[in-house]
Amino acid sequence: FELLDSGQKVTDGASLGDHVALGAGAVAFGLWGLLRCRRARRLAQVLPALLEGVALHELLLDAAGRVVDFRLLEANPAWLDHLGLAGPVRGRTGAELFGEARLPFLERLGAVVRTGEPCSFAFTSLRSGRGLQVTAVRVGPGRFATVVEDATERRRIQEALESSRAELAQALDLASMATWRYDAATARFCFDDRFYRLCGSSLALEGSPFMDVASYSQAFLPLEERDLVAQEVTAALASTDPAYSRQ
């Protein structure tokens, strides 16, 4: 199970799963606010309106203070649907709901209640067959809420994206080609190691993937072609055609 700290910042290199997990954490914190709000008399009044699966739980400890299970206090229909549960479920323990004597994520839930630090982990429901993303957040003494989202489609999209990237990389290698980007705001190219290798260099040698037009021209272009490249860059930036292309 991969934990995600609620205070972790999403960087440009973060995966799609990271962004979604942080979004679920925001939902959980919003739920916490509803629980603390005096106008929200009962959690059941707000749960049915949420699209995410949301539930409230009570942590169960043994005489020594060790986490042994949890009890379901409230859940909305989406939570039950994601987990493949039906019928009366309020008051049932995790072991009763999922048919396991000890669930593998109990220690994580215990840490959420003990420290107040939310966490997010992957979980596959054997009842529904869905791959889920679960975010847990403490909502009071001995209690925590979970937000459950179906990650099956998200995983399929991510796997397809990774497969497409691998196929593109293979095609570029076979054709001895490379791709690059130009950032008009900073007037710099962004090259990867494949591009540098085709130019007889490497990312390690150049020290950075970024390079301005003048530096690129001096490093990799014959003298007689430098003005032509500068003109083409200027023409591309001035064009209003989204499909502008020159060869």
Side-chain angles (χ1 to χ4, degrees):
F1 298 97
E2 181 179 356
L3 299 181
L4 181 64
D5 190 326
S6 64
Q8 181 179 351
K9 296 181 179 179
V10 175
T11 63
D12 291 339
S15 68
L16 178 62
D18 293 333
H19 289 275
V20 173
L22 285 178
V27 172
F29 278 116
L31 175 61
W32 189 359
L34 287 172
L35 287 168
R36 294 167 62 89
C37 180
R38 294 180 180 179
R39 296 180 181 179
R41 296 181 179 180
R42 292 192 62 192
L43 183 61
Q45 293 177 321
V46 298
L47 284 179
L50 298 176
L51 298 178
E52 296 83 0
V54 181
L56 177 65
H57 316 268
E58 176 186 25
L59 200 64
L60 301 179
L61 309 177
D62 63 13
R66 294 184 294 263
V67 179
V68 294
D69 209 336
F70 66 84
R71 190 184 311 280
L72 179 65
L73 301 179
E74 298 278 358
N76 70 344
W79 193 89
L80 300 176
D81 179 62
H82 285 327
L83 292 162
L85 299 172
V89 294
R90 184 182 300 176
R92 298 179 67 182
T93 66
E96 293 170 339
L97 291 172
F98 301 107
E100 295 186 43
R102 183 172 181 81
L103 296 168
F105 45 78
L106 277 180
E107 295 303 324
R108 290 165 174 81
L109 298 178
V112 168
V113 173
R114 184 178 67 256
T115 67
E117 292 292 333
C119 77
S120 182
F121 56 87
F123 174 68
T124 299
S125 172
L126 298 180
R127 293 181 181 273
S128 67
R130 299 178 187 176
L132 306 172
Q133 190 71 26
V134 182
T135 300
V137 60
R138 185 175 68 185
V139 294
R143 294 189 175 189
F144 64 95
T146 56
V147 178
V148 178
E149 295 181 291
D150 187 350
T152 304
E153 180 64 13
R154 186 173 76 246
R155 289 178 182 173
R156 187 194 66 78
I157 293 173
Q158 183 130 10
E159 289 172 358
L161 178 61
E162 291 173 356
S163 177
S164 296
R165 286 174 175 170
E167 291 175 358
L168 174 60
Q170 184 178 32
L172 290 173
D173 286 339
L174 291 173
S176 295
M177 297 176 64
T179 60
W180 50 268
R181 292 182 293 110
Y182 181 79
D183 185 352
T186 61
R188 294 192 303 174
F189 289 106
C190 181
F191 302 129
D192 60 11
D193 202 43
R194 179 182 289 104
F195 180 91
Y196 282 134
R197 287 199 306 270
L198 290 176
C199 294
S201 185
S202 69
L203 184 57
L205 288 174
E206 300 301 329
S208 171
F210 303 106
M211 187 175 290
D212 59 46
V213 176
S215 298
Y216 165 67
S217 297
Q218 292 174 7
F220 300 118
L221 294 180
L223 182 60
E224 63 273 14
E225 295 182 6
R226 293 176 185 177
D227 289 342
L228 176 61
V229 171
Q231 293 170 10
E232 291 298 333
V233 170
T234 301
L237 292 174
S239 175
T240 58
D241 181 5
Y244 177 85
S245 176
R246 290 274 290 176
Q247 186 172 355

